[in-house]
Amino acid sequence: MRKVNVKKGLAATLILSMGIGLTACGGEETVSSDVKYYRANYLEDLPETYMNLNGTPVLQGDTIFYAANNEDYTKYGIYSYNLTTKEENTYYEKEENMNSDPYAGGMYVERYVVDEEGNIYLYVQAWEVDDSDVQDWSSATLDDVLNFMVESWGYADTDAALVDWNEYHVKGYQEQEGYTDAEGNIDYAKVMTEWSAGYAPRTYSYEVRKLDLAGNEVYAMPVEVEAEDGYSYVIDMIADADGTLYMYMNQYSESTMKDEYFITAFDATGKQMGKYVMDNYGNGLVTLADGRIGALAWDDTSSDYLINVLDSKTMQVAETINLGDNYVNELIPLDEENYLVTDGGGVYKFNLATQEKELYFNWVDADIISNSVRGYQMLEDGKLLVSTQTYDYVTYESLDEIAIIEEIPAEEAAKIKSVTLACIYTDDQLEQRVININKKNPETRIRIKQFYQDYSEMDYEDAMAGFMTAMASDPEVDIVFFNGSTPYADMMNFASKGLLIDLNSFMDADEEIKREDLMGSVLDACTYNDMLVGLPTGFSVRTVVGKVSDVGTEPGWTFADMKALLESKEPGTQLFYGRTRDWALQMCLNLGYKQFIDMENVNCNFNCPEFVEVLEFAKLFPEEYEWVEGEDETQLMHEGKVLLADYNLSDFVQIQLYTEIFGDKLTYIGYPTIEGNGALMSLGQSFGITKNCEQTDVAWKLIREYFLPKGENENYYSYNFSIRQDEFDKFCEQAMSEDNNGSWGWGDFEVEIHPATQEQVDEVKNLIANTTAIDGAISNDIMNIINEEAAGFFSGDKTAEAVAETIQSRVWVYLSETN
C-alpha cells in the first residue's frame, strides 16, 4: 500500500499561505487572535462544458475532472480541464434522445471517481423495459390521460386531474418538440405511450468501467446487486494508489424492510475482491495519510462518528477510529496526523489522533457562500481550489464556478477595518449581501460571527446563551441579525439595555430609503423610547379565522365571547385543533404584552384581574393534546367539531382554502384579547446596529440592501410580506391579477385559486394597519417563569390570584436584575 502523495512541508505551506497560528487545547475549536483576511479569485474562461455539474469535481495534479450535463440536459459527459495548459478532454459522452422509444431501455452513469494516475472509474446502471404487454395508445384521447392520472397518480376524480393537466402539463408539452401537430394539438398517443412505459416492468443491471487517460476502456465488470425487491445505490466510490476501486453501497429490501451497508472492491485488473458488510450507517469513503481507505460511519448505539479502516487484502476492518461527535464528510491529508475538514460553514485543521479542531477560515470570509461549496481540494502550492454552485432565485438558473482562495497580503490587510455581524445562523441571502458589500468596500470587511450551525453538535440553547452574552458584553459586535426563536423579544431586550442605536438618522441621510417608504405599523413596532432600534426583513400577521355564522363579521372579541361560543356547541366541540395550554398562555401574553410588561420603565403588572382571566382561559385547553389516529383536522373543521383555525397570514390564497374547508364565509376574528383586533404582527429576522459600532456607514450599507426598491425581475414575496409599502402594494395588485390562479389542497379538500377581490385585499390591509400586538414579544426567560408558576394553578394546588402574585414578584426581580 503506497502512502498518499503528501508533499513535505505541505501543512506548513498551507498554514503560511493562510496565515494561521497552530495552537489548540482540550479538543476545542480555537481561532487565532490575529485577524486574517481572505478572498476568492474565480477562474475565468472555464470550458463551455463546465455547467450543470453532476457530483463534485475531482482534482488530480493540476487537472480537474468533472461530470456535467449540457444546457438542456440532453447530453451527459465526463470531462477534464488542465488549470495550467487550459487543455480540455472528453472521456465519456452520451446523447439523450428525448423523443426516443420509451420502451427502448437505457443507461446512465450513477457515480464516477478518478485515481492519482487520471484513470476514470464509472458505475453504470442499465435497464431494459418489458414491452410484452404494451397497450395500443394510437387512438388515445384526453379522457385516457385523465383516467390514467386518477388510476395511477391518485387524483380524486377526472375533474381534479383536468385542473392540474391544464395548469402543469399542457404548456410544457406545447413547448417541447414532437408533442404537438401543426395546429398545436397535443399528441395524446405519445403522452400515454410514455406514461404507461413508466409503469412497465424493468430489469436492471450494473457494471463498473475503467477508462484510461486516453478514454480507452481498461475493463468492464458486472456488479451483482441482491436487492431485487428493493433498491440499491452507491454512497461513495474511491480508488487507492494501487488502482483498487472501493465502492460503498446501500441495499434496501422491501420484504425485510432492512438496509444493508457494505463495501465491495475491484483490483487494478477489474477482479472483484470481496464484500464487507458494515454494522453501521455509512456516509462516505476517505483516504488516510498512509494510503489506507476508511469508511465513514455513524454508530446509532453510541451516536459516535467512526472511521472503519479497511484491510484491502482481507476486506475486513483493520482498525476503527472513533471520532466522537466530530462529523466529517471528507479528509484531505496535510501531514501524517493532520487533515483539512469542513463542517459546512468553514475549513478546519483536524488532528485525527487528538481530535483537536482549529478553524482556518469561514467560507463567507473568503467571499464564498457556504451552501454553494460542492467540494474543495488542495493545489500543489498549498492553496485551496473550491468548486461552487450558486442558484439565482430570479432567473432560476445555477452557476458553476471554480475559485482559488488566497490570503490578502499583510500590508493590504493592515489597512482593513473589521466589522463584526453577530447572528444565530446564516443563510444564503445574508452571506451573498455581506460578500457584495465587502467587494464594493475593500477598505472594510464584514465578518459573520455565527453562534449555531444545525449540522454541529452544539445545543441550540447553549448557542442562544452565547449569542446573548456576546451581545451584552462583546465590544467587537457591530451589527446584530436577530434570527433566533424570539427575535423581537431579543431586540427589545437589548434596546432596553441601551445597546442599540437609532436607525432613523440613517434613513434621514439616505437618498433612496425614507421612513415613508416602509410600513408605518412595522416601524412603530420596532420603536423603543422614540428610537428605531431595528428593521425586520419581512412580516406576517398571525390571526384566527372563524365562520361568520359563529363569530360575526368584525375582528376582535373577548375571552367571554370565545367561552360563550364554545358553550353554545355540542359537548366535545373544540375551539382549535391540537392546541395546548402552553400555546394558549403564550398567545394571550403576546397580545397583552404591553399591559403586563413595561420594558421602558422596567416594570410589570401581572397581579391584576386581566392576567387572572388569561390563566383561567388557558386552563380550558389540555396540558397535552391526545391525538387520535386517523383523525382529519379538515373534516373536523368542515363538520363544525373544530370551530376556529389560526395561521400566519402572508398571502391571499390560504383564506380561499379555509373558506372551502369551513364551508362558509370567514372573518379574521383574531385571538381573544382585552382590546384590539386580536391579531399579532409576526416580524421576521431583524437588523440592528450596536452602540459599539464605529463603522456605522458600512453597517448601514449592508442593512439598506434589504430595503432598496427591487428590480423589475426580482421577486416581491418569499414567505413574508415585504415591509416596503410599494412592494406590499405591488404584491396585492398581483394577487388581484388573472395570473394568480392554480389550486391548493389539504386533506380531502381542494380549491381552485381565484384572483383576490378588492374587498379581500382591503380587509387584509385594514387588519395590518390596526395590529399593534407582536408575536414573540415575551422572552423565553420570562415565559419560563410564567410556565413554572402557572403549573401550580393548572394542577389545582394554587389559586390563579396567588400564582399571579408570585409571577409578579419573580418577573419584577428578573427585569430589575437584567436591565
Side-chain angles (χ1 to χ4, degrees):
M1 179 71 66
R2 292 182 297 178
K3 292 185 177 181
V4 174
N5 183 24
V6 180
K7 294 181 70 175
K8 186 176 181 180
L10 187 56
T13 302
L14 177 67
I15 293 162
L16 289 173
S17 70
M18 295 301 178
I20 302 294
L22 298 181
T23 57
C25 61
E28 297 180 352
E29 299 174 10
T30 62
V31 184
S32 171
S33 59
D34 296 327
V35 178
K36 304 294 180 181
Y37 300 98
Y38 312 93
R39 60 183 163 221
N41 295 316
Y42 285 88
L43 302 185
E44 299 180 354
D45 301 323
L46 289 174
E48 292 183 359
T49 53
Y50 197 85
M51 62 161 57
N52 300 324
L53 297 192
N54 191 328
T56 301
V58 177
L59 177 68
Q60 292 293 359
D62 56 359
T63 300
I64 297 174
F65 297 83
Y66 57 95
N69 298 281
N70 64 352
E71 189 171 5
D72 58 1
Y73 287 82
T74 59
K75 182 190 296 183
Y76 170 89
I78 297 177
Y79 312 93
S80 71
Y81 175 65
N82 189 287
L83 298 174
T84 304
T85 66
K86 312 301 181 185
E87 180 184 358
E88 303 174 25
N89 281 313
T90 299
Y91 292 89
Y92 172 87
E93 209 166 47
K94 181 178 182 296
E95 295 279 352
E96 297 287 353
N97 185 356
M98 304 304 291
N99 293 319
S100 63
D101 180 1
Y103 287 93
M107 58 83 69
Y108 77 97
V109 177
E110 185 174 321
R111 190 173 283 271
Y112 80 100
V113 71
V114 183
D115 66 19
E116 287 184 5
E117 306 299 326
N119 298 304
I120 298 177
Y121 303 82
L122 312 177
Y123 180 66
V124 179
Q125 179 188 115
W127 66 91
E128 294 181 357
V129 182
D130 183 357
D131 59 358
S132 60
D133 189 25
V134 178
Q135 184 172 345
D136 181 9
W137 294 107
S138 58
S139 301
T141 65
L142 177 58
D143 287 339
D144 293 314
V145 171
L146 300 180
N147 286 325
F148 185 91
M149 294 173 70
V150 171
E151 295 169 6
S152 301
W153 294 0
Y155 281 83
D157 50 45
T158 54
D159 289 338
L162 180 61
V163 172
D164 275 11
W165 168 257
N166 289 329
E167 182 174 353
Y168 301 113
H169 297 283
V170 171
K171 185 177 180 181
Y173 282 122
Q174 288 176 340
E175 292 176 349
Q176 288 188 54
E177 183 179 352
Y179 285 90
T180 58
D181 58 21
E183 287 74 36
N185 299 310
I186 293 177
D187 185 348
Y188 297 119
K190 185 177 181 64
V191 171
M192 285 306 305
T193 300
E194 291 184 355
W195 284 9
S196 57
Y199 287 81
R202 279 169 163 71
T203 302
Y204 293 92
S205 61
Y206 308 85
E207 67 177 13
V208 171
R209 299 179 187 177
K210 179 178 180 179
L211 310 178
D212 63 19
L213 276 168
N216 300 313
E217 186 173 277
V218 177
Y219 66 70
M221 300 297 294
V223 178
E224 297 298 327
V225 175
E226 300 172 3
E228 296 181 358
D229 64 338
Y231 62 79
S232 170
Y233 71 94
V234 176
I235 297 171
D236 201 3
M237 288 169 53
I238 199 168
D240 67 15
D242 297 324
T244 300
L245 174 68
Y246 298 82
M247 297 172 57
Y248 203 162
M249 301 189 70
N250 169 230
Q251 288 186 167
Y252 176 76
S253 170
E254 294 283 359
S255 57
T256 63
M257 298 183 67
K258 291 184 179 179
D259 280 292
E260 181 183 62
Y261 295 91
F262 66 92
I263 295 173
T264 187
F266 297 82
D267 67 15
T269 65
K271 179 182 176 182
Q272 193 162 4
M273 299 170 62
K275 171 182 174 181
Y276 176 72
V277 178
M278 307 293 291
D279 294 329
N280 311 108
Y281 166 79
N283 66 324
L285 295 168
V286 295
T287 302
L288 302 180
D290 60 9
R292 293 185 298 170
I293 301 300
L296 300 173
W298 181 72
D299 188 333
D300 58 2
T301 302
S302 65
S303 296
D304 289 339
Y305 294 104
L306 312 171
I307 299 179
N308 292 313
V309 184
L310 298 173
D311 183 327
S312 60
K313 295 180 180 179
T314 64
M315 283 302 293
Q316 298 295 311
V317 171
E319 178 187 359
T320 295
I321 302 173
N322 192 313
L323 301 178
D325 60 4
N326 290 296
Y327 170 78
V328 298
N329 57 10
E330 59 183 325
L331 294 172
I332 297 179
L334 291 173
D335 54 34
E336 298 300 326
E337 296 181 352
N338 296 298
Y339 295 82
L340 280 186
V341 299
T342 181
D343 63 358
V347 177
Y348 298 79
K349 185 193 77 158
F350 180 63
N351 187 298
L352 202 57
T354 66
Q355 297 189 16
E356 293 174 344
K357 191 164 73 168
E358 181 178 1
L359 178 68
Y360 278 146
F361 61 87
N362 289 313
W363 291 117
V364 68
D365 291 337
D367 300 334
I368 292 177
I369 298 174
S370 302
N371 286 336
S372 73
V373 177
R374 298 180 66 93
Y376 67 100
Q377 289 148 95
M378 191 182 301
L379 296 169
E380 292 292 326
D381 60 3
K383 294 181 180 179
L384 287 186
L385 179 142
V386 184
S387 57
T388 67
Q389 185 179 76
T390 53
Y391 186 75
D392 190 321
Y393 288 93
V394 175
T395 63
Y396 302 107
E397 295 179 350
S398 60
L399 176 65
D400 292 288
E401 296 179 288
I402 296 175
I404 296 177
I405 296 177
E406 65 174 10
E407 183 191 345
I408 295 176
E411 60 274 15
E412 183 182 343
K415 302 175 184 178
I416 296 176
K417 296 178 180 178
S418 182
V419 177
T420 300
L421 183 151
C423 60
I424 301 300
Y425 56 87
T426 69
D427 57 44
D428 291 358
Q429 185 177 174
L430 174 63
E431 292 188 3
Q432 183 62 73
R433 292 182 188 276
V434 166
I435 291 169
N436 291 343
I437 294 298
N438 287 341
K439 288 182 176 180
K440 293 176 182 177
N441 301 273
E443 71 283 357
T444 58
R445 196 80 174 176
I446 299 176
R447 298 165 65 89
I448 297 177
K449 189 171 185 178
Q450 180 179 355
F451 285 82
Y452 179 75
Q453 294 173 327
D454 58 9
Y455 33 75
S456 74
E457 295 299 317
M458 176 182 287
D459 182 77
Y460 180 79
E461 295 303 323
D462 292 340
M464 277 299 303
F467 172 76
M468 300 295 281
T469 300
M471 271 301 302
S473 60
D474 189 347
E476 294 186 356
V477 175
D478 302 291
I479 310 170
V480 193
F481 191 41
F482 296 101
N483 61 351
S485 57
T486 55
Y488 182 79
D490 296 340
M491 181 175 70
M492 285 302 168
N493 181 19
F494 291 129
S496 70
K497 294 178 172 63
L499 299 176
L500 301 176
I501 65 174
D502 190 1
L503 302 182
N504 281 310
S505 60
F506 297 99
M507 283 194 284
D508 291 340
D510 199 303
E511 295 183 356
E512 295 182 275
I513 303 174
K514 300 296 182 183
R515 282 185 61 89
E516 52 267 26
D517 295 331
L518 309 181
M519 302 188 73
S521 56
V522 175
L523 297 183
D524 290 343
C526 298
T527 297
Y528 180 88
N529 275 347
D530 297 325
M531 294 171 50
L532 181 63
V533 295
L535 279 175
T537 58
F539 77 99
S540 61
V541 176
R542 192 166 182 176
T543 189
V544 173
V545 292
K547 294 194 292 188
V548 168
S549 57
D550 282 336
V551 301
T553 58
E554 293 299 320
W557 55 347
T558 66
F559 295 110
D561 294 332
M562 183 177 278
K563 289 179 184 177
L565 172 62
L566 182 61
E567 291 169 357
S568 70
K569 302 298 181 179
E570 294 290 331
T573 302
Q574 303 176 67
L575 287 170
F576 298 91
Y577 181 78
R579 298 309 187 189
T580 63
R581 202 169 284 165
D582 288 346
W583 169 86
L585 188 58
Q586 184 157 22
M587 286 304 101
C588 294
L589 286 171
N590 284 328
L591 284 161
Y593 167 75
K594 293 181 180 179
Q595 179 177 4
F596 300 131
I597 298 178
D598 183 357
M599 292 293 291
E600 296 186 11
N601 295 304
V602 193
N603 204 353
C604 57
N605 180 37
F606 287 98
N607 54 346
C608 61
E610 290 80 9
F611 182 66
V612 169
E613 189 175 19
V614 168
L615 290 173
E616 292 173 343
F617 174 74
K619 195 173 182 179
L620 294 174
F621 292 81
E623 182 178 0
E624 297 291 339
Y625 189 83
E626 295 184 8
W627 302 97
V628 178
E629 186 176 355
E631 194 171 59
D632 186 338
E633 178 180 357
T634 60
Q635 283 295 339
L636 294 177
M637 288 189 288
H638 185 71
E639 295 168 4
K641 296 178 181 178
V642 169
L643 304 176
L644 307 166
D646 69 317
Y647 75 102
N648 270 15
L649 172 63
S650 59
D651 57 45
F652 296 93
V653 173
Q654 292 182 77
I655 191 64
Q656 298 185 43
L657 179 58
Y658 275 111
T659 300
E660 178 72 15
I661 292 170
F662 277 103
D664 193 0
K665 187 175 181 180
L666 302 178
T667 295
Y668 295 113
I669 187 63
Y671 300 93
T673 183
I674 300 163
E675 60 181 13
N677 61 14
L680 292 160
M681 187 172 290
S682 184
L683 301 180
Q685 45 202 17
S686 304
F687 282 99
I689 300 177
T690 75
K691 66 175 184 179
N692 299 316
C693 183
E694 296 180 357
Q695 309 298 321
T696 55
D697 57 330
V698 176
W700 178 248
K701 283 179 181 178
L702 171 66
I703 295 173
R704 73 190 297 272
E705 286 286 313
Y706 282 80
F707 307 103
L708 288 169
K710 287 185 170 62
E712 183 178 348
N713 294 323
E714 292 186 71
N715 295 326
Y716 284 91
Y717 171 72
S718 54
Y719 296 105
N720 284 319
F721 291 130
S722 169
I723 75 167
R724 280 193 63 92
Q725 188 68 57
D726 57 352
E727 290 174 12
F728 176 75
D729 291 340
K730 186 173 183 64
F731 177 72
C732 292
E733 292 174 8
Q734 292 174 339
M736 292 189 290
S737 73
E738 293 299 324
D739 293 333
N740 189 36
N741 50 35
S743 62
W744 273 45
W746 183 12
D748 292 332
F749 296 89
E750 186 167 337
V751 60
E752 187 173 347
I753 300 304
H754 299 285
T757 65
Q758 186 65 56
E759 179 185 2
Q760 291 171 330
V761 169
D762 291 343
E763 192 175 15
V764 171
K765 285 184 175 181
N766 182 63
L767 188 69
I768 293 171
N770 292 286
T771 296
T772 57
I774 308 298
D775 189 18
I778 305 287
S779 70
N780 286 333
D781 289 341
I782 293 177
M783 275 306 307
N784 288 338
I785 293 173
I786 294 171
N787 285 328
E788 287 174 13
E789 298 301 332
F793 168 64
F794 296 145
S795 65
D797 294 336
K798 297 180 181 180
T799 66
E801 289 77 10
V803 166
E805 287 290 346
T806 305
I807 291 173
Q808 169 69 17
S809 176
R810 288 189 62 185
V811 174
W812 185 86
V813 171
Y814 171 82
L815 293 174
S816 301
E817 291 178 346
T818 56
N819 287 275

